[in-house]
Amino acid sequence: MNQGILLYGPPAAGKDTVTAALAQLDSRYALFSRLKIGSGKSEGYRMGTPAQLAELDGHGDVIYRNDRYGNTYVVDRPGLGLAMEGGRIPVLHLGQVAGIEAVTANYPAAWSTVLVWCSREATAVRSKGRGDRDTEARLAAWDATEQDLAINGHLPWDLRVDTEVSSPADGAALIDQLVRASVWRSSAEHSSSRARETVTDPSWTSSQR
């Protein structure tokens, strides 16, 4: 089964850094480049056009979209398919619980959900330290993330990584362990399901046993 990792967290929580550490740990891990319609930073995105978005939407290939910082960010079905080719494991960065739920519900795969966290103060320091010109907008997004979590407390995270406590390498190692355990569980469940099908298959008659 295809696999993927969903990293959720506020701005500057360390999603990029943890993803880079994952890629160093195993070459199968790679950042999923969301489709971005708008302007500004292009690194880590596939820049698209409104016409391209309309075409994807018309074919039902928009799994999740959100509008922030004056841009539109899209998780698309064709993009995910390409990202999982050859056994690769895409790492998706999402800032909304609705995005986590949309991807897990609408794209079949063994998804590992990880909450990557840092304090509001850490977001402010890190944002200014990396030269962001919109730190106030990043802090507003941190507030929105905290509210999002409070409203959607029902979501069962597979793992929480606090980047003020765990190093990127430690966080990546924990996520890698989670993914490998997920593979084992999926394999065991598949084997169990096949065994049940064999036992209950009406075509498997006593004369064949």
Side-chain angles (χ1 to χ4, degrees), residues 99-120:
I100 300 288
E101 294 178 327
V103 172
T104 55
N106 297 308
Y107 198 92
W111 292 105
S112 296
T113 59
V114 182
L115 173 60
V116 181
W117 193 253
C118 73
S119 66
R120 193 177 193 278

Side-chain angles (χ1 to χ4, degrees), residues 96-153:
Q96 302 80 32
V97 170
I100 300 288
E101 294 178 327
V103 172
T104 55
N106 297 308
Y107 198 92
W111 292 105
S112 296
T113 59
V114 182
L115 173 60
V116 181
W117 193 253
C118 73
S119 66
R120 193 177 193 278
E121 292 73 22
T123 286
V125 171
R126 292 173 181 178
S127 179
K128 292 175 182 177
R130 66 189 188 187
D132 289 341
R133 297 181 179 180
D134 56 353
T135 295
E136 288 306 314
R138 306 285 167 172
L139 290 174
W142 191 100
D143 294 336
T145 302
E146 184 181 47
Q147 184 178 14
D148 191 30
L149 283 173
I151 294 172
N152 297 285

Side-chain angles (χ1 to χ4, degrees), residues 18-189:
V18 169
T19 300
L22 274 168
Q24 290 184 341
L25 196 61
D26 190 322
S27 60
R28 293 178 301 161
Y29 297 121
L31 173 67
F32 175 73
S33 300
R34 284 180 294 166
L35 192 65
K36 178 179 179 180
I37 294 87
S39 59
K41 177 184 174 183
S42 60
E43 184 180 356
Y45 298 102
R46 290 172 289 134
M47 301 303 291
T49 64
Q52 186 177 2
L53 175 58
E55 183 177 359
L56 285 168
D57 199 28
H59 287 90
D61 285 332
V62 174
I63 294 174
Y64 180 70
R65 64 170 285 178
N66 72 293
D67 299 281
R68 180 169 282 182
Y69 312 126
N71 300 305
T72 299
Y73 302 87
V74 178
V75 178
D76 60 305
R77 195 177 308 279
L80 278 179
L82 288 173
M84 291 183 179
E85 285 186 350
R88 288 177 297 175
I89 305 174
V91 184
L92 280 68
H93 295 180
L94 293 170
Q96 302 80 32
V97 170
I100 300 288
E101 294 178 327
V103 172
T104 55
N106 297 308
Y107 198 92
W111 292 105
S112 296
T113 59
V114 182
L115 173 60
V116 181
W117 193 253
C118 73
S119 66
R120 193 177 193 278
E121 292 73 22
T123 286
V125 171
R126 292 173 181 178
S127 179
K128 292 175 182 177
R130 66 189 188 187
D132 289 341
R133 297 181 179 180
D134 56 353
T135 295
E136 288 306 314
R138 306 285 167 172
L139 290 174
W142 191 100
D143 294 336
T145 302
E146 184 181 47
Q147 184 178 14
D148 191 30
L149 283 173
I151 294 172
N152 297 285
H154 62 278
L155 190 67
W157 299 98
D158 294 321
L159 178 68
R160 173 179 171 133
V161 175
D162 188 333
T163 58
E164 291 181 82
V165 177
S166 299
S167 70
D170 289 342
L174 289 172
I175 295 170
D176 181 58
Q177 290 173 15
L178 172 66
V179 171
R180 293 179 187 278
S182 175
V183 173
W184 184 88
R185 285 196 304 272
S186 297
S187 177
E189 289 170 0

